[in-house]
Coordinates of all heavy atoms in Angstrom, one line a residue:
F36 N 13.7 -64.4 31.5 CA 14.2 -63.2 32.2 C 13.7 -63.4 33.7 O 12.6 -63.9 33.9 CB 13.7 -61.9 31.6 CG 14.2 -61.7 30.2 CD1 13.5 -62.1 29.1 CD2 15.4 -61.0 30.1 CE1 14.0 -61.9 27.9 CE2 15.9 -60.8 28.8 CZ 15.2 -61.2 27.7
Y43 N 12.0 -55.6 39.9 CA 12.6 -54.8 38.8 C 13.4 -55.6 37.9 O 14.0 -56.6 38.4 CB 13.4 -53.6 39.3 CG 12.6 -52.6 40.2 CD1 13.0 -52.3 41.4 CD2 11.5 -52.0 39.7 CE1 12.3 -51.3 42.2 CE2 10.8 -51.1 40.4 CZ 11.2 -50.7 41.7 OH 10.5 -49.8 42.4
L44 N 13.5 -55.2 36.7 CA 14.4 -55.9 35.7 C 15.9 -55.4 36.0 O 16.1 -54.3 36.3 CB 14.0 -55.5 34.3 CG 12.9 -56.2 33.7 CD1 12.4 -55.5 32.4 CD2 13.3 -57.6 33.3
Y45 N 16.8 -56.3 35.8 CA 18.2 -56.0 35.8 C 18.5 -55.2 34.6 O 17.9 -55.3 33.5 CB 19.0 -57.3 35.9 CG 18.9 -58.1 37.1 CD1 18.0 -59.2 37.1 CD2 19.5 -57.7 38.3 CE1 17.9 -59.9 38.3 CE2 19.3 -58.4 39.5 CZ 18.5 -59.5 39.4 OH 18.3 -60.3 40.6
P46 N 19.5 -54.2 34.7 CA 19.8 -53.4 33.5 C 20.2 -54.1 32.3 O 19.7 -53.8 31.2 CB 21.0 -52.5 34.0 CG 20.9 -52.6 35.5 CD 20.2 -53.9 35.9
E47 N 20.9 -55.2 32.4 CA 21.3 -56.0 31.2 C 20.1 -56.6 30.6 O 20.0 -56.8 29.3 CB 22.4 -57.0 31.5 CG 22.0 -58.0 32.6 CD 22.3 -57.6 34.0 OE1 22.6 -56.4 34.3 OE2 22.2 -58.5 34.9
D48 N 19.1 -57.0 31.4 CA 17.8 -57.6 30.8 C 17.0 -56.5 30.1 O 16.4 -56.8 29.1 CB 17.0 -58.3 31.9 CG 17.7 -59.6 32.4 OD1 18.6 -60.1 31.7 OD2 17.3 -60.0 33.5
Q49 N 17.0 -55.3 30.7 CA 16.3 -54.2 30.0 C 16.9 -54.0 28.6 O 16.1 -53.8 27.7 CB 16.4 -52.9 30.8 CG 15.6 -52.9 32.1 CD 15.8 -51.7 32.9 OE1 16.7 -50.9 32.7 NE2 14.9 -51.4 33.9
M50 N 18.2 -54.0 28.6 CA 18.9 -53.8 27.2 C 18.5 -54.9 26.3 O 18.3 -54.7 25.1 CB 20.4 -53.6 27.4 CG 20.8 -52.3 28.1 SD 22.6 -52.0 28.2 CE 23.1 -53.3 29.3
R51 N 18.6 -56.1 26.8 CA 18.3 -57.3 25.9 C 16.8 -57.2 25.4 O 16.6 -57.5 24.2 CB 18.5 -58.6 26.7 CG 18.3 -59.8 25.9 CD 19.2 -59.9 24.7 NE 18.8 -61.1 23.9 CZ 18.6 -61.1 22.6 NH1 18.8 -60.1 21.9 NH2 18.3 -62.3 22.0
L52 N 15.9 -56.9 26.3 CA 14.5 -56.8 25.9 C 14.3 -55.7 24.8 O 13.5 -55.8 23.9 CB 13.6 -56.6 27.1 CG 13.3 -57.8 27.9 CD1 12.7 -57.5 29.2 CD2 12.4 -58.8 27.1
A53 N 15.1 -54.6 25.0 CA 15.0 -53.5 24.0 C 15.5 -54.0 22.6 O 15.0 -53.7 21.6 CB 15.8 -52.3 24.5
E54 N 16.6 -54.8 22.7 CA 17.1 -55.4 21.4 C 16.1 -56.3 20.7 O 15.9 -56.3 19.5 CB 18.4 -56.2 21.7 CG 19.6 -55.4 22.1 CD 20.7 -56.3 22.5 OE1 20.6 -57.5 22.5 OE2 21.7 -55.7 23.0
I55 N 15.4 -57.1 21.6 CA 14.4 -58.0 21.1 C 13.2 -57.2 20.4 O 12.7 -57.6 19.4 CB 13.9 -59.0 22.2 CG1 15.0 -59.9 22.6 CG2 12.6 -59.7 21.7 CD1 14.7 -60.7 23.8
Q56 N 12.9 -56.1 21.1 CA 11.8 -55.3 20.6 C 12.1 -54.7 19.2 O 11.3 -54.5 18.4 CB 11.4 -54.2 21.6 CG 10.1 -53.5 21.2 CD 9.7 -52.5 22.3 OE1 10.5 -52.0 23.1 NE2 8.5 -52.2 22.3
I97 N 6.4 -55.9 24.9 CA 7.6 -55.6 25.7 C 7.5 -54.2 26.4 O 7.9 -54.1 27.5 CB 8.9 -55.8 24.8 CG1 9.1 -57.2 24.6 CG2 10.1 -55.1 25.5 CD1 10.3 -57.5 23.7
F100 N 5.7 -54.0 29.7 CA 6.5 -54.8 30.6 C 7.7 -54.1 31.1 O 8.0 -54.1 32.3 CB 6.9 -56.2 30.0 CG 7.7 -57.1 30.9 CD1 7.0 -57.8 31.9 CD2 9.1 -57.2 30.8 CE1 7.7 -58.6 32.8 CE2 9.8 -58.0 31.6 CZ 9.1 -58.7 32.6
L101 N 8.4 -53.4 30.2 CA 9.6 -52.6 30.6 C 9.2 -51.5 31.5 O 9.8 -51.2 32.5 CB 10.3 -52.1 29.4 CG 11.2 -53.1 28.6 CD1 11.6 -52.4 27.3 CD2 12.3 -53.6 29.4
E102 N 8.1 -50.8 31.2 CA 7.6 -49.7 32.0 C 7.2 -50.2 33.4 O 7.4 -49.5 34.4 CB 6.4 -49.0 31.3 CG 6.9 -48.2 30.1 CD 5.7 -47.7 29.3 OE1 4.5 -48.0 29.7 OE2 5.9 -47.1 28.3
H104 N 8.3 -52.7 35.1 CA 9.4 -53.3 35.9 C 10.7 -52.5 35.8 O 11.8 -53.0 35.9 CB 9.6 -54.8 35.5 CG 8.4 -55.6 35.7 ND1 8.0 -56.0 37.0 CD2 7.5 -56.1 34.9 CE1 6.9 -56.8 36.9 NE2 6.6 -56.8 35.6
D105 N 10.5 -51.2 35.7 CA 11.6 -50.3 35.6 C 11.7 -49.5 36.9 O 10.6 -49.0 37.4 CB 11.5 -49.3 34.4 CG 12.7 -48.5 34.2 OD1 13.7 -48.7 34.9 OD2 12.6 -47.6 33.4
D106 N 12.8 -49.4 37.5 CA 12.9 -48.7 38.8 C 13.2 -47.2 38.7 O 13.5 -46.5 39.7 CB 14.0 -49.3 39.7 CG 15.4 -49.2 39.2 OD1 15.5 -48.8 38.0 OD2 16.3 -49.4 39.9
V107 N 13.0 -46.7 37.5 CA 13.2 -45.2 37.3 C 11.8 -44.6 37.5 O 10.8 -45.0 36.9 CB 13.7 -44.9 35.9 CG1 13.8 -43.4 35.6 CG2 15.1 -45.5 35.7
R130 N 16.9 -42.3 42.7 CA 16.6 -43.7 42.6 C 15.6 -44.1 43.8 O 15.8 -43.6 44.9 CB 17.8 -44.6 42.7 CG 18.8 -44.3 41.6 CD 18.4 -44.6 40.3 NE 18.5 -46.1 40.1 CZ 18.3 -46.6 38.9 NH1 18.0 -45.9 37.9 NH2 18.3 -47.9 38.8

Side-chain angles (χ1 to χ4, degrees):
F36 295 91
Y43 296 125
L44 278 165
Y45 294 100
E47 59 272 11
D48 290 341
Q49 289 177 344
M50 290 187 292
R51 179 64 182 132
L52 283 167
E54 290 172 3
I55 291 169
Q56 187 175 26
I97 289 179
F100 180 76
L101 286 171
E102 290 170 358
H104 299 285
D105 186 7
D106 64 346
V107 176
R130 303 291 284 187

